[in-house]
Amino acid sequence: MDNQIIKSLEGITKNFSKNKNQFYPYIDYIRFPHYKSLSLNSRINFNFPITLLVGRNGVNKTSILQALYGSPANKSVSEYWFSTNVDQIDEVDGKQCLIYSYYNVKASRNVEVLKGRSGTKKGLDYWEPYAPQKQYGMERLPKNKYIGSSSTDRWDGIEKNVVFCDCKEYVSAFDLFFYHYNFKKISTQRSKQDFIRLRSKPVADILKNNTSSYTRYKKEMVIDNVKVDDKVCEIISEIMDESYTDIQILTHKLYSKGDDIKASKTIWMKKSGKEYSEAFAGTGEARIILLVNDIVNAQSNSLILIDEPEISLHPSAIYKFKEFLLQECLNKKHQIIITTHSTQLIKDFPREAVKLLVKNGEKIDVIENIDYQDAFFELGDVYHSRKMIYVEDRLAKYILDFVITHSGSENLKQNLVVRYIPGGANQIICNNILNSSYLDSDNHYFWLDGDQNTNVSESNNLMNYLENGVIISDKIPEADNGKLDKIIRELTGCSIKFKVSGNKGQRNDTELIEKQRRFIDYWSIYVSYLPFQTPELYLAKLCDSVDSEDYDFSTDENGKEYFRKKTKEALGIEDITSEDVFQEQRRAVSKLQSDPKMFQDIKEKLEALF
């Protein structure tokens, strides 16, 4: 199964890179000067036609889908997000708005479109397009009317069909009535069951006769009655590992009194010789039928937004649903954005497809180019096959990868994976390491830069708690439980907030102490430091020594200016990018073998993990 998925992913990658225009119209990126709880000026690049928004609960994943839904022309975010007296929309930091970019074929160029919440007479929650704003770093249109724009001051919005597959909407007629309707007894209908038995008679007739109309008290009850395509039956059979020969979806108002419940769907199916409706089916079965049917019937080049498709599906079904999505994307050139908590769904996708959303104080950061294994970690799952080393940046990762590659050790090559976590040491400590201590992860190691080393073995305050140079919680007497927060702050250099149960202002101190002690022990085993202050400074001094230069580091304490200077000299230009600098730093890593002691120190540190 995995081989087929990987093959499909490779096919999409090749097709998208060589023939991206086949996916047009296509949203290249969306950015948020101010939108909900996202950090100001957050941006998401869509460098792969399928994007997975990953993160824990409450990080605005669904809100991003709503923003994308409201991006094209004639669509509005307010269809899903609007203010009420209970939930006021915050505009303290500025107008709620979004900006997206797409290739405008008429103009033969990429353009940006701004949409914002207007609060005009059209309605407080009306979202409308605006002229480009200089404060958002947007380019203004030429003064005269421009090709590709029907307006003189703004680009036309993208014309793209949108299919929003909100799995919360996929509630069947039976479930909607039985679980959500406030039923009132009458003499002839003393229970919900009585009501459904009565109304199921016309439903059965409509399904049997495949009729498209049924009136009750002069009101039309049937909205739609469709026998799904054989292709949908085949796909559902494959996903659910069953044999579906017929599926019919009836949208009607028969399971309601008056207009109390909106039109809903009865799903009738024939499976392995048995005939039944959603009332006898599992929730996951009904949902996947509606979901797949919507996707199959989407016109080519659609923007398909899917909110948590894994709900009520077993892992094998998720893998098969993923393969179906890949084929639909490849065949019909869809742009697909998915929110998910499923590690089965994320697995094997390329880094550019995975966007991780993480809380950073009161705001939410978007982290791009995340390996799916790192996404596992953020979701609280553990990838057990190899040991994972997490570092602060990609240069540190490149150095460790270089040592592993040139170590001559097959054990290191086969059993170690190095990843970097953007966001800085503080973010890693307060988020990733803290969460890992909760999970007792036994194959995740965190190697911070040497400048983060708090040198606890030299601290007089911590001397009594040390064993072999690290703090051990068993060495801390119960009488010092009140000092645990201070001990952790000195150990990590950060103030860490532990999540404990209890009402506001009444925390569970026993749980807090247990988590603090567990964190201290986890740190002593799984957290250590690279044998240099920062990768940039170490490499800069190494190059300076090898090349017999006499560079003045007194004004360049981190080595970054050294590499900017080297990059400008190598390229012969002044206007360089961060990627240009990184390539110069990568070339410098090759000189690491000229420092055999450092090379050996890193190698031995890696081998010590085993």
Side-chain angles (χ1 to χ4, degrees), residues 260-285:
D260 291 342
I261 293 182
K262 70 175 187 177
S264 50
K265 300 180 187 297
T266 287
I267 304 129
W268 177 89
M269 61 203 84
K270 188 174 182 180
K271 180 181 75 175
S272 303
K274 298 179 182 179
E275 299 180 16
Y276 57 94
S277 78
E278 81 281 1
F280 278 21
T283 302
E285 189 175 16

Side-chain angles (χ1 to χ4, degrees), residues 177 181-186 189-192 195 257:
F177 174 82
Y181 182 63
N182 185 21
F183 178 76
K184 295 179 181 179
K185 296 179 183 180
I186 59 175
Q189 299 166 17
R190 301 190 61 82
S191 67
K192 290 181 179 180
F195 179 82
K257 289 187 175 183

